[in-house]
Amino acid sequence: MIIDGKKEAEVLREEIKKEIISIKKKTNRVPGLAVILIGDHIPSQIYVKNKEKCSKEVGINSNVIKYSHDVSEEEVLKKIKELNNDNSVSGILVQLPLPDQIRQESIINSIDPSKDVDGFSPINVGNLASGYNGIVPCTPKGCLMLIKKIEKNLSGKHAVILGRSNLNGKPIAQLLLKENCTITIAHSKTENLKEKCLKADILVAAVGVANLVKKDWVKDGSIIIDVGINKQGDKIVGDVSFEEVKDKVKAITPVPGGVGPMTIACLLKNTLECFKDRLT
Ligand code: NAP
């Protein structure tokens, strides 16, 4: 089965839209998402434009604050403080990467954890690591939703996660651990990678190496989630050799059209959840 991330994201966006309409009727309020974009990094500009468009479509008030590449850290911190105190702002996102003069750690630490829709602040990272409720990073949240569309009860499954980044690998592993999976986290120094992958009931590849996972790396009937986005000529491919793997496994996400669309939908979901927390 090929997991249609585009369709699943559409369904999620529709649910979010309906919920926002219903809350607006009762409270006359809608969620607000503030996005800070620094510099003229082209992929960041595309991501932010997309986030703004999707926010508007579901009824979230989106406000993009743009700075030139040479803005000071102090000025950005001042803006974040203002947004933290602004009741019309439910969620704050600072698009990464940042220019050299701005420390990522200091920016992430300055965002109010209850408005941290990316789930990157130490409080949210700590909540996830402790198995508590909190804001979960968007791509990992989307991965789990897609896995659970295929298999509701993940208890006892062996999940192998390729990649240990703070953005993807670690939070995906923690989410699956919370679902009672047995976890193997692999990275660039892991030995016998193929043998480890062959043991996976659920294999999540978040590495950034085109077509790393081959047909003879995957177990029959496993679930494969491909987070990778890699340019190969004029094509975008994942970390898994999709064509050769797809017929051997129970379910697999394509690239594009798998995890990617879920990431933005989960950002909207996180924004709605932050908004609802403030309503009560
Ligand atoms: P990252 O920070 O570069 O981390 C990559 C991880 O993969 C690291 O842990 C690295 O190991 C490991 N790795 C690298 N080469 C490996 C190899 N040959 N074998 C085993 N492990 C290897 O990347 P990231 O930010 O997590 O992103 C991963 C991929 O997901 C990228 O292609 C990115 O574009 C994509 N992505 C997709 C979405 C989406 O919405 N679909 C969102 C974010 C990112 P070490 O720790 O040892 O270096």
Side-chain angles (χ1 to χ4, degrees):
M1 175 188 177
I2 294 168
I3 305 172
D4 188 345
K6 235 171 134 178
K7 194 186 104 208
E8 295 301 338
E10 210 177 296
V11 170
L12 182 58
R13 288 200 307 268
E14 204 48 45
E15 281 170 20
I16 294 168
K17 188 174 171 179
K18 279 190 186 140
E19 198 170 348
I20 291 175
I21 291 172
S22 148
I23 297 174
K24 190 179 175 191
K25 269 190 193 147
K26 289 181 209 141
T27 66
N28 203 26
R29 290 178 61 191
V30 296
L33 174 64
V35 179
I36 296 182
L37 173 64
I38 305 171
D40 27 56
H41 184 239
I42 302 286
S44 293
Q45 288 180 344
I46 296 170
Y47 292 143
V48 167
K49 217 172 175 176
N50 217 350
K51 287 170 185 174
E52 192 180 16
K53 178 175 162 276
C54 292
S55 296
K56 284 188 177 145
E57 279 170 8
V58 297
I60 292 175
N61 257 344
S62 167
N63 175 21
V64 180
I65 301 136
K66 292 184 183 163
Y67 290 107
S68 68
H69 68 281
D70 55 356
V71 66
S72 68
E73 182 177 302
E74 200 187 354
E75 195 172 340
V76 180
L77 288 174
K78 199 171 135 215
K79 175 52 83 180
I80 293 174
K81 200 171 172 191
E82 204 181 283
L83 296 169
N84 283 341
N85 292 323
D86 183 340
N87 271 337
S88 69
V89 174
S90 328
I92 303 168
L93 179 161
V94 180
Q95 185 65 43
L96 303 177
L98 300 171
D100 292 346
Q101 78 278 13
I102 301 181
R103 291 165 302 165
Q104 185 173 308
E105 191 185 340
S106 123
I107 295 297
I108 289 173
N109 284 344
S110 71
I111 298 173
D112 178 341
S114 71
K115 295 190 177 189
D116 166 35
V117 280
D118 264 338
F120 294 162
S121 81
I123 300 274
N124 287 314
V125 172
N127 279 335
L128 182 59
S130 306
Y132 302 152
N133 291 333
I135 304 169
V136 173
C138 306
T139 304
K141 185 170 178 148
C143 289
L144 181 64
M145 283 180 175
L146 292 179
I147 295 168
K148 293 200 84 170
K149 289 277 168 202
I150 305 301
E151 194 98 38
K152 289 228 159 18
N153 182 8
L154 305 179
S155 184
K157 303 278 181 210
H158 185 182
V160 176
I161 320 298
L162 302 184
R164 56 172 163 182
S165 71
N166 291 334
L167 183 69
N168 292 309
K170 281 185 207 155
I172 291 168
Q174 282 153 348
L175 284 173
L176 290 170
L177 189 60
K178 207 174 167 188
E179 294 288 328
N180 297 319
C181 289
T182 303
I183 308 292
T184 299
I185 303 178
H187 46 77
S188 68
K189 310 290 184 293
T190 299
E191 292 177 357
N192 306 321
L193 197 58
K194 174 180 162 183
E195 283 65 35
K196 291 188 170 62
C197 291
L198 270 168
K199 296 206 170 98
D201 300 312
I202 299 164
L203 179 69
V204 183
V207 165
V209 177
N211 301 322
L212 175 73
V213 177
K214 308 280 190 287
K215 186 177 180 177
D216 58 349
W217 288 37
V218 300
K219 187 167 147 181
D220 282 350
S222 55
I223 298 173
I224 313 288
I225 303 293
D226 192 349
V227 181
I229 301 177
N230 310 293
K231 249 191 130 179
Q232 203 175 52
D234 54 1
K235 270 176 68 187
I236 299 287
V237 300
D239 292 344
V240 180
S241 279
F242 179 80
E243 283 305 324
E244 54 175 90
V245 167
K246 72 176 191 323
D247 295 327
K248 194 179 177 192
V249 297
K250 181 175 183 184
I252 181 168
T253 58
V255 177
V259 174
M262 287 301 282
T263 297
I264 293 198
C266 286
L267 170 69
L268 308 176
K269 176 103 178 131
N270 278 352
T271 306
L272 173 59
E273 282 168 5
C274 291
F275 169 67
K276 282 175 16 188
D277 281 349
R278 276 169 188 272
L279 279 178
T280 51

